[in-house]
Amino acid sequence: MAAALMSACAPDAPPSGATPPTSEHSVGDPLQSLPKNYKLEFENDHVKVVRVHYDAASTLPEHIHPAGSTVFIYLNENEKVIFTHALTGGEAPLIRPPVKPGGVRFATSHEEHHIMENPSPTPSDFIRVLVKTDSVDLGPAVRRRVALSEQEYSNKQLRITRPPFQAGRPLELKPSDFPSLIVAWPSGRHHWFDAGAPVSIATDAPDTAGFVRIEMLTPPLK
């Protein structure tokens, strides 16, 4: 799980062969309607990587997230976030429980229309990875949290691992048979590796506490 690390504010440059970042251009797309909170950092045929920020004690108006599989990598500690879904009248709000830096969540869902409220005294920052590959009929309601103590989680669509590293020495991994995205936390710095590519990432950034690698086990949907 490797990646050339860059400043937390500046995303990695798109690697060779990647398509330029694009937006969904749909009504309610938060990349368009909430640009201070949702920033597209990288996109190719396999993934769409968005950096998300919720201010402390804030509310965001209704916006839309597309259906599909999503991996969330949390970058800071936060007590809770509340989502009220606009298309499910009468349904109780969904409460995201406390998260810690390096925590990971995998979820599949239908298209979501919701309002976000962060009642916590701390902001919430995370990387949102929409997986654009074949979901092999995982279903629209898979929910899986990957604790900091878990080194691996996998399903038919992807594999999430936490590679060990030693600060000051490059993180070097054997090439994978599958393309992968590597995210450092708590910075959120990330890099894409094609299948078979060697992995080497500098680990001398003082804020690097760990890495999360997402390997894409299925081909992109056409």
Side-chain angles (χ1 to χ4, degrees), residues 12-156:
D12 290 349
S16 176
T19 56
T22 61
S23 65
E24 292 151 15
H25 299 294
S26 61
V27 175
D29 175 10
L31 292 171
Q32 301 295 318
S33 62
L34 300 167
K36 292 182 179 180
N37 305 98
Y38 291 85
K39 299 183 185 299
L40 181 64
E41 295 203 333
F42 174 75
E43 183 173 13
N44 64 12
D45 289 342
H46 293 78
V47 295
K48 184 174 186 176
V49 181
V50 176
R51 184 181 291 266
V52 184
H53 171 79
Y54 302 150
D55 288 327
S58 66
T59 300
L60 296 183
E62 180 182 344
H63 53 280
I64 300 171
H65 294 297
S69 299
T70 307
V71 178
F72 303 84
I73 302 167
Y74 300 106
L75 306 179
N76 74 321
E77 190 167 357
N78 175 266
E79 294 177 5
K80 70 176 180 180
V81 170
I82 302 170
F83 298 98
T84 302
H85 290 83
L87 296 185
T88 53
E91 182 178 320
L94 175 65
I95 298 178
R96 188 192 79 187
V99 296
K100 294 184 178 295
V104 175
R105 181 166 66 93
F106 171 80
T108 64
S109 67
H110 297 294
E111 182 176 277
E112 293 188 354
H113 297 228
H114 61 216
I115 296 166
M116 186 289 305
E117 179 186 0
N118 177 20
S120 304
T122 55
S124 180
D125 291 279
F126 57 95
I127 299 296
R128 190 179 197 279
V129 182
L130 176 67
V131 182
K132 298 163 63 176
T133 64
D134 185 356
S135 63
V136 291
D137 299 322
L138 288 179
V142 178
R143 301 286 186 274
R144 180 64 157 81
R145 291 185 173 274
V146 185
L148 284 166
S149 59
E150 291 185 80
Q151 298 303 305
E152 179 174 337
Y153 162 73
S154 63
N155 56 44
K156 293 180 179 180

Side-chain angles (χ1 to χ4, degrees), residues 2-15 21 40-43 51 181-184 187-193 201:
L5 300 175
M6 307 161 84
S7 129
C9 298
D12 290 349
L40 181 64
E41 295 203 333
F42 174 75
E43 183 173 13
R51 184 181 291 266
L181 179 75
I182 312 247
V183 180
S187 67
R189 301 180 185 108
H190 52 80
H191 198 81
W192 177 261
F193 292 91
I201 303 178

